Amino acid sequence: MTMPAPVSEDESRWCAFLRLPGGYAHPRRLAETLGGAMTPDLCAALQAEPRFAARLTALLDTAGLVPPAGAALDCADVDRSIAVRGPHELTAAALRAGALYWADAIANVVLAPDVEALRRSLDGDLIAFGLANRAAGAQGLRFDDLTGAAEVVARDGWYSFLAWVAQLPAAVAGRLMLKFEDGAITPGPVPDPFGEIGPGLYRRAAG
């Protein structure tokens, strides 16, 4: 008798992402769904026990927060591999996407006082990521104010993230947003040029 092929770790994580959003939704989301009957800390404690994942998912489903999973089958493999990650990884990728967009500007900060100002504003890992990927970013950009570099990098990184989310099937995007506290990130239109280039920036930054 032919034995079924073992399920890969990636396939297992994807199935859990689709079937059990209660296991990874932000604890405050769960607490709000329960009308305050449980604290976010208690919800997080329940999430730490895999046996409660199905029950927590049922609560989210009853509240209308879990879209039908059917269309998720159209999700590309690269996007599946990103969507299953935790909120901290997704956030870090958004910041790297911003650094990628501003990579040419980062690389063109050469005078010692300007370099110091950039280092005081922008995380060193993001500077290094931008320098390593200079050719992949928008060319010709320059910072108006180096003291505000972190803000513009983060802003444009989140625009890239939102543009990527907008291209996902609704079943995937809806589950993905459950990972963040309600109101922390609001999907919607993004300014040019991120609607066009943002998804690619984010995929590369998340890679």
Side-chain angles (χ1 to χ4, degrees):
M1 183 174 67
T2 302
M3 297 295 292
V7 177
S8 70
E9 182 178 352
D10 288 344
E11 290 174 312
S12 179
R13 293 181 72 189
W14 177 246
C15 288
F17 173 79
L18 292 180
R19 293 178 54 246
L20 299 170
Y24 59 75
H26 195 286
R28 289 191 181 278
R29 292 261 193 177
L30 288 169
E32 290 165 3
T33 300
L34 291 166
M38 292 185 185
T39 66
D41 286 344
L42 179 54
C43 289
L46 292 175
Q47 287 179 300
E49 298 289 340
R51 69 181 186 274
F52 291 119
R55 296 182 189 179
L56 296 173
T57 296
L59 291 172
L60 294 172
D61 193 26
T62 299
L65 297 177
V66 182
L73 298 176
D74 297 329
C75 190
D77 288 345
V78 63
D79 292 331
R80 292 185 182 195
S81 70
I82 298 170
V84 299
R85 300 177 191 177
H88 295 298
E89 292 178 90
L90 296 169
T91 296
L95 297 178
R96 288 195 299 271
L100 185 58
Y101 179 69
W102 285 93
D104 189 55
I106 291 171
N108 272 283
V109 177
V110 293
L111 297 178
D114 292 341
V115 170
E116 184 59 30
L118 181 65
R119 287 175 175 170
R120 285 197 300 268
S121 175
L122 192 60
D123 182 81
D125 288 341
L126 294 179
I127 293 174
F129 186 79
L131 291 174
N133 293 277
R134 177 179 182 178
Q139 301 300 300
L141 290 179
R142 299 294 180 267
F143 292 111
D144 292 330
D145 179 7
L146 288 170
T147 63
E151 286 75 13
V152 297
V153 165
R155 178 199 66 198
D156 293 343
W158 283 112
Y159 282 151
S160 298
F161 171 80
L162 290 174
W164 171 71
V165 170
Q167 291 195 349
L168 298 173
V172 178
R175 286 166 171 76
L176 181 76
M177 299 310 293
L178 288 174
K179 298 184 180 189
F180 298 93
E181 189 172 354
D182 191 23
I185 301 172
T186 305
V190 298
D192 292 333
F194 298 101
E196 180 179 351
I197 69 172
L201 288 172
Y202 188 77
R203 289 186 184 103
R204 179 165 183 146

